[in-house]
Amino acid sequence: MEMIQVYECAHCEKKFVQRKWICPNCKNNEFLQKNISGEGKIFSHTTIHVSSKEFSHLTPYSVALIELSEGLRVIGRVTDQVAIDDKVKCISYFDNTFVFEKC
């Protein structure tokens, strides 16, 4: 399982997947890098049947909004057929793309 790197506000401990310069929650500007588990559940998903030329070799493929165990939500590609609330885990992160598979 791949760990997911997040940025945690040093003041209010709110976590973000993308790097922030100022915490929108408390306006602090200090962040810590942390690794969290890549486990979560499917919040929403769709299957792409027609894609742009650069992704045509992947079609059909599924993309999902994953709610991680820590409460963050990320978008990633899913290797299996999934349904809402299915448990998934991150298996890779490459070229700014998370890839998940069913647990």
Side-chain angles (χ1 to χ4, degrees):
M1 178 176 62
E2 185 85 13
M3 299 295 280
I4 295 177
Q5 182 178 299
V6 297
Y7 300 92
E8 181 181 80
C9 175
H11 184 257
C12 71
E13 298 181 353
K14 185 163 177 68
K15 293 177 181 64
F16 305 92
V17 175
Q18 294 139 334
R19 186 173 184 168
K20 303 281 184 192
W21 296 105
I22 297 175
C23 177
N25 194 47
C26 71
K27 309 303 182 223
N28 184 44
N29 63 357
E30 281 185 61
F31 293 88
L32 307 170
Q33 287 185 4
K34 295 200 170 189
N35 288 322
I36 61 172
S37 88
E39 296 179 336
K41 65 181 182 175
I42 301 292
F43 185 81
S44 181
H45 67 92
T46 189
T47 301
I48 310 296
H49 293 279
V50 178
S51 70
S52 61
K53 185 177 176 181
E54 63 223 355
F55 298 109
S56 63
H57 66 285
L58 297 172
T59 56
Y61 62 94
S62 294
V63 176
L65 179 59
I66 313 293
E67 187 170 294
L68 299 173
S69 302
E70 289 80 3
L72 294 168
R73 290 184 183 163
V74 297
I75 295 174
R77 193 164 53 86
V78 184
T79 60
D80 309 299
Q81 290 292 329
V82 293
I84 304 281
D85 287 332
D86 280 353
K87 302 278 186 208
V88 292
K89 63 182 177 183
C90 185
I91 57 171
S92 75
Y93 179 71
F94 177 73
D95 200 21
N96 290 320
T97 304
F98 294 105
V99 179
F100 291 86
E101 71 179 6
K102 259 176 136 171
C103 292

